[in-house]
Amino acid sequence: MKYIIANWKLNGSKSLLSEFLNQFATHSLHNYVVLCPPHLLLSDLDNKHIDNFFMGSQNVSEYDNGAFTGEISAEMLAENKIFHSIVGHSERRTLFSETDEKINIKIKQLLSNNITPILCIGENLEQRNTNTFKKIIDLQLEEAFKNIKIDDQTIIIAYEPIWSIGTGITPDISQIIAVHEFIKTKIKQMYPKNVNQFKITYGGSVNLKNYNTILSSAAVDGVLVGGASLDSRSFYEICNFKN
Ligand code: PEP
C-alpha cells in the first residue's frame, strides 16, 4: 500500500470536490489516499464511506485558540474529523515565513490532537547544486522533531525538492531513492523504535508519465501530488497504482 496525497493549494471548488468524490466512490482503493483542498472544502466524508480515502488540511495554526485572526487550530480540525495535515510546505516556508521552530510547534499540536502530520522537507536548487542538500534535510528533520516523543502515531514525510515543485523537472529515480534512504537512516537514529511508523513520500512534478517509476521503488512509500491532483481522472489513475 502506498500513500497518495493531493495538495490542491489555492485551487478547487465545491463542484470539483463533488466530481472527485463521485469518481472515488465507485471503487474501494488499495492505496491510502489523502485529499488536501482549501479549508472551506474540507468535509468529514461520514456519508461517503470511501475506504482508504481521507481529507487533510494544508496547514494548521501553532496556537490553541485566542486572538489569531485567520487561523485554524488542530483541535478544530480534529473536531471536524480531519485527521491529516500538511505542515511545512515550501510555499508556507518561503511565502508565509514558516520557520522550523513554528513547524515544530505545529507538529506538536497535530500529534496531541491525533492528527497525522505530513511534513514537507527539501532543498532549493542552490543547495542541490552545491551538494549541501543532505545537511539541509538533516537540519530540517532535527528541528521539526525537536523534543517530540512519538508513541504509536503514523508520520508522513514528503521529500519535496523545491526546484521540482511545479516546474515539470524531477530528480532521477536514483536521486529520489538516495534521499529517501538518507531520510530513513536519519529517522532510525532519531526514533529507533518507531522507524516503521514513518512513511517517506516524494513530491515535485509527479504526473501520469512518471508516477509509475517513482512509486515502483520500494524506498518510496508514496507521492504528494500538486498540479496533477486537480484533474480527477489523472489523480484517480495515480491512486490506483499497483506494484
Ligand atoms: C506540491 O504542491 O507540493 C507539489 C509537489 O506540486 P507539483 O506536483 O505541482 O509539483
Side-chain angles (χ1 to χ4, degrees):
M1 186 178 78
K2 301 280 184 177
Y3 289 74
I4 318 281
I5 301 149
N7 177 14
W8 277 10
K9 312 191 188 197
L10 187 52
N11 298 296
S13 59
K14 281 189 180 184
S15 66
L16 187 67
L17 181 63
S18 69
E19 186 186 318
F20 269 63
L21 297 183
N22 290 337
Q23 174 104 35
F24 279 84
T26 52
H27 293 292
S28 58
L29 292 158
H30 53 269
N31 292 308
Y32 188 104
V33 176
V34 185
L35 174 63
C36 304
H39 281 137
L40 277 174
L41 297 176
L42 289 171
S43 69
D44 64 28
L45 296 173
D46 260 4
N47 56 348
K48 288 285 176 190
H49 302 297
I50 311 176
D51 286 343
N52 283 337
F53 185 91
F54 306 93
M55 286 275 184
S57 167
Q58 297 175 15
N59 186 27
V60 67
S61 178
E62 70 254 46
Y63 303 109
D64 290 323
N65 53 47
F68 302 106
T69 303
E71 293 287 275
I72 290 182
S73 71
E75 196 179 335
M76 290 168 186
L77 290 176
E79 190 185 23
N80 284 280
K81 299 183 187 161
I82 304 299
F83 291 110
H84 300 80
S85 178
I86 296 175
V87 58
H89 191 281
S90 65
E91 286 152 17
R92 298 223 52 96
R93 291 179 191 254
T94 53
L95 304 173
F96 300 96
S97 314
E98 199 160 294
T99 60
D100 282 327
E101 201 183 342
K102 281 189 189 176
I103 290 163
N104 174 256
I105 301 169
K106 289 182 178 199
I107 294 175
K108 286 177 183 157
Q109 289 281 8
L110 292 173
L111 291 175
S112 62
N113 284 281
N114 293 317
I115 299 172
T116 300
I118 303 167
L119 169 68
C120 298
I121 55 172
E123 79 283 2
N124 64 29
L125 191 57
E126 193 200 330
Q127 292 157 346
R128 166 62 64 166
N129 288 339
T130 53
N131 216 17
T132 52
F133 62 98
K134 285 192 179 161
K135 219 169 118 194
I136 298 298
I137 289 166
D138 190 279
L139 194 68
Q140 286 174 337
L141 289 169
E142 287 277 346
E143 296 291 314
F145 293 110
K146 199 178 232 166
N147 299 324
I148 292 183
K149 193 180 151 290
I150 307 286
D151 297 318
D152 54 359
Q153 304 99 327
T154 297
I155 313 264
I156 301 174
I157 294 178
Y159 166 54
E160 299 210 296
I162 298 168
W163 47 277
S164 178
I165 296 177
T167 60
I169 302 166
T170 52
D172 293 342
I173 187 66
S174 59
Q175 292 175 310
I176 294 175
I177 292 171
V179 176
H180 280 231
E181 285 173 348
F182 176 79
I183 294 170
K184 193 94 183 182
T185 305
K186 178 74 187 168
I187 297 293
K188 252 186 210 158
Q189 287 163 8
M190 294 168 77
Y191 296 105
K193 290 191 189 133
N194 310 86
V195 63
N196 292 333
Q197 290 158 236
F198 284 77
K199 307 298 169 194
I200 304 166
T201 64
Y202 167 78
S205 295
V206 172
N207 58 35
L208 283 184
K209 289 193 190 129
N210 59 26
Y211 79 93
N212 211 51
T213 309
I214 297 169
L215 284 172
S216 294
S217 164
V220 176
D221 294 321
V223 285
L224 195 160
V225 190
S229 75
L230 287 164
D231 179 71
S232 67
R233 274 199 233 150
S234 304
F235 188 60
Y236 188 69
E237 186 176 326
I238 297 172
C239 290
N240 279 296
F241 166 83
K242 274 202 184 98
N243 245 343

